[in-house]
Amino acid sequence: MYSRAELVALGETDSMLRKSVRTGALTRVRDGWYAATDANPAAVEAVRRGGVLSCVSALDLHGFWVAPGYPGVHARGTRANDRPGFCRHHGRLHRAGSAIDSPALALACAAKCMRTEDWIAVVDSVLNTKKMTVEDMRSALDGLIDYEAIRLLERCDPDAESGTESIVRVRLRAHNFKVAVQPRIPGVGRYDLGVGRLLIECDSKTHHMGERDYERDRWRDRKVMLAGHLPIRLTYSTVFYDWED
């Protein structure tokens, strides 16, 4: 996605833009905005409807972990739009030259849209991915979020390595369990979470389905059992769709 100002800065002229539109290299989305053939469909839809991609949609596009259950296009802008599949967030367009909100602006919108545990998890993902501290995040969000969201930052943890792990940590601490994040077991390595003698691994298909991973995981579990710990493995499906069990 490009604004006209961006394309002019790259050396394009109005006649060149008109030619690109005629040949199909660019699509005129709305006044002053153009989409290349490989533009993200959600970003195109957000701009077409008078806003910019934000909230869950922008965070997902930036590559951060986002919990399931937030369908449709999440955008921020000034034009009223209540069509199905389009979640509109109010707010002045701080970055008029971009079709996608920065992580900070997207997190600010998400604080009003996401469930508490899901927002904490996506903040964890941003912290871990960008190697930020909670204080760094507090500064980045200064003036963008309200007091309640600021307090939630105290429950975030940059050491969390997956969204599923973050969700499990938040849920267990809500029941007053003392949860260690990424506890290191001598001779074995780190587990995702620890609660007393219990060691919890939040397994994903990406990192735990290969034959070598399968064998390594069971070797680790045997070792920690011999050291007096109790290993348990939780899958994504268990956490999000079978938690009560």
Side-chain angles (χ1 to χ4, degrees):
M1 292 292 302
Y2 300 97
S3 66
R4 179 184 174 279
E6 287 178 300
L7 292 170
V8 169
L10 292 172
E12 298 285 321
T13 64
D14 285 337
S15 62
M16 293 167 68
L17 291 177
R18 287 193 293 270
K19 181 179 179 181
S20 293
V21 172
R22 286 198 304 271
T23 61
L26 291 176
T27 299
R28 187 173 179 274
V29 179
R30 77 168 198 251
D31 188 32
W33 284 93
Y34 298 85
T37 55
D38 60 349
N40 178 269
V44 172
E45 187 69 8
V47 172
R48 177 177 290 119
R49 299 192 187 191
V52 297
L53 200 68
S54 190
C55 190
V56 178
S57 299
L59 291 167
D60 182 55
L61 191 57
H62 281 303
F64 303 118
W65 186 92
V66 175
Y70 299 95
V73 176
H74 291 245
R76 183 175 60 83
T78 56
R79 184 185 298 175
N81 200 315
D82 298 320
R83 297 182 194 174
F86 189 78
C87 178
R88 177 177 172 269
H89 296 269
H90 298 274
R92 183 170 58 87
L93 299 181
H94 300 274
R95 299 178 68 214
S98 175
I100 304 168
D101 266 347
S102 67
L105 283 172
L107 283 173
C109 281
K112 301 175 181 179
C113 183
M114 302 180 81
R115 295 177 291 271
T116 295
E117 64 180 19
D118 295 345
W119 191 76
I120 291 173
V122 74
V123 172
D124 282 358
S125 180
V126 176
L127 292 175
N128 188 269
T129 301
K130 299 178 77 66
K131 308 303 179 188
M132 297 173 67
T133 66
V134 172
E135 280 305 312
D136 291 335
M137 182 61 71
R138 201 186 309 275
S139 297
L141 295 176
D142 184 41
L144 298 176
I145 56 176
D146 59 22
Y147 177 72
E148 291 301 318
I150 291 173
R151 290 190 61 186
L152 291 181
L153 291 177
E154 299 171 6
R155 299 166 61 185
C156 297
D157 196 316
D159 290 332
E161 295 187 343
S162 76
T164 311
E165 173 190 329
S166 295
I167 296 294
V168 173
R169 181 192 79 239
V170 170
R171 290 178 181 178
L172 291 177
R173 285 181 176 170
H175 287 285
N176 297 317
F177 287 103
K178 294 182 179 180
V179 183
V181 177
Q182 296 290 320
R184 182 173 292 278
I185 310 303
V188 179
R190 293 179 300 171
Y191 270 69
D192 291 335
L193 301 168
V195 182
R197 293 172 57 213
L198 186 68
L199 295 175
I200 303 172
E201 281 283 78
C202 300
D203 290 351
S204 67
K205 290 182 179 180
T206 303
H207 300 293
H208 296 271
M209 289 300 289
E211 184 175 349
R212 290 184 61 185
D213 296 330
Y214 184 89
E215 293 295 337
R216 180 203 61 197
D217 290 343
R218 276 135 193 87
W219 174 86
R220 282 162 50 86
D221 288 350
R222 291 195 299 271
K223 287 291 184 180
V224 297
M225 287 180 70
L226 290 172
H229 299 282
L230 298 173
I232 185 173
R233 294 185 175 274
L234 302 178
T235 65
Y236 180 96
S237 179
T238 299
V239 173
F240 286 100
Y241 307 115
D242 204 17
W243 179 255
E244 290 304 317
D245 180 66

